[in-house]
Amino acid sequence: MEVDAVASLLSGTSAHAPRLCRAGLAVVFTLRLVALAVGARTLWRDEVGDLACNASAESCRRTCFDDAFPISPFSLFALQLAVIFSHALASSWHFRPHGEGMGSWRQPTRRGKQPHLWLHLGSLLAKAVLEGIFLVTFHTLYSHFPVLVQCPPSPCPPAVTCAILNAREKDTFNHFMAGSSWACLLLSLLGTQHAAVQIFQEASGKAPRKGTARKPRV
């Protein structure tokens, strides 16, 4: 598979996007994927077991975790990357050259370029919207990762609290993933602006200019 195909899969953009934008999105996505893989084996290996509660009942610990975290930050970021990569797969499949082998990934020709630009613009907007939805969800639920959580009175005994082990490291991980998502959102918006300028230039170049028609020779 060629480098352009890998860049399309990692960045979720077509060949119309600026090289700097594609490279930045690909690098940030790779960093997010590596951070998620490392976090799965270290910080988030046993989320329920990381609760140190002043009650020994295992059912109380599970209930306390479910009450404090409707969806854990790690699961939220894993779902985010799955959705973003699904968008990248759909985008790379759609913008593949028609009538050529899968090993060939080239810039679309001049003919029919404007429809490709509109699709490219829509793809970037969809990517920005997806990043924005997950960012709003994260900042609504976990703008500050808790150190202590209060357990519900049932089935736990009264006044049961649980301390979260490695809370500071988890909070750092969360903000790194959120910052990476913000970077992808900004890069997607920059790519959207570039696509809009390309569409405007394409339309201006094809539009007939008044007073430029040549007079027929006698």
Side-chain angles (χ1 to χ4, degrees):
M1 187 177 290
E2 297 179 5
V3 176
D4 197 27
V6 177
S8 297
L9 286 174
L10 294 179
S11 65
T13 59
S14 69
H16 291 290
R19 290 185 179 180
L20 185 61
C21 179
R22 298 186 78 194
L25 287 170
V27 169
V28 174
F29 181 83
T30 304
L31 291 176
R32 294 162 79 181
L33 191 63
V34 171
L36 203 67
V38 173
R41 299 184 62 86
T42 54
L43 290 175
W44 308 94
R45 189 171 185 175
D46 186 8
E47 296 184 68
V48 179
D50 286 343
L51 294 181
C53 305
N54 55 358
S56 58
E58 184 65 28
S59 60
C60 177
R61 180 185 298 179
R62 168 59 68 177
T63 304
C64 188
F65 177 82
D66 292 339
D67 183 73
F69 304 104
I71 176 172
S72 71
F74 181 82
S75 299
L76 182 65
F77 289 126
L79 178 62
Q80 181 186 24
L81 281 193
V83 172
I84 294 300
F85 188 66
S86 298
H87 169 271
L89 282 175
S91 178
S92 62
W93 179 85
H94 183 80
F95 288 107
R96 77 193 190 282
H98 296 286
E100 299 183 5
M102 292 300 294
S104 178
W105 297 68
R106 298 187 307 180
Q107 183 92 5
T109 58
R110 182 75 178 176
R111 184 181 178 183
K113 187 177 181 181
Q114 194 168 11
H116 279 277
L117 287 174
W118 279 107
L119 291 172
H120 169 62
L121 176 63
S123 176
L124 284 173
L125 285 175
K127 184 179 180 65
V129 168
L130 290 174
E131 295 283 2
I133 289 173
F134 279 98
L135 280 171
V136 169
T137 304
F138 168 76
H139 288 293
T140 301
L141 295 176
Y142 307 114
S143 59
H144 177 68
F145 194 75
V147 178
L148 290 173
V149 292
Q150 187 73 33
C151 298
S154 178
C156 299
V160 175
T161 58
C162 295
I164 301 177
L165 302 180
N166 302 317
R168 181 175 297 179
E169 289 80 0
K170 291 180 178 180
D171 190 48
T172 303
F173 174 88
N174 292 341
H175 281 88
F176 169 79
M177 295 296 291
S180 302
S181 186
W182 275 110
C184 288
L185 176 60
L186 293 176
L187 287 171
S188 298
L189 292 177
L190 288 176
T192 301
Q193 181 185 10
H194 181 268
V197 171
Q198 280 186 309
I199 292 173
F200 177 77
Q201 291 176 345
E202 187 79 8
S204 300
K206 289 183 178 180
R209 297 180 181 178
K210 295 182 180 180
T212 58
R214 296 183 178 178
K215 296 181 180 180
R217 296 182 179 178
V218 179

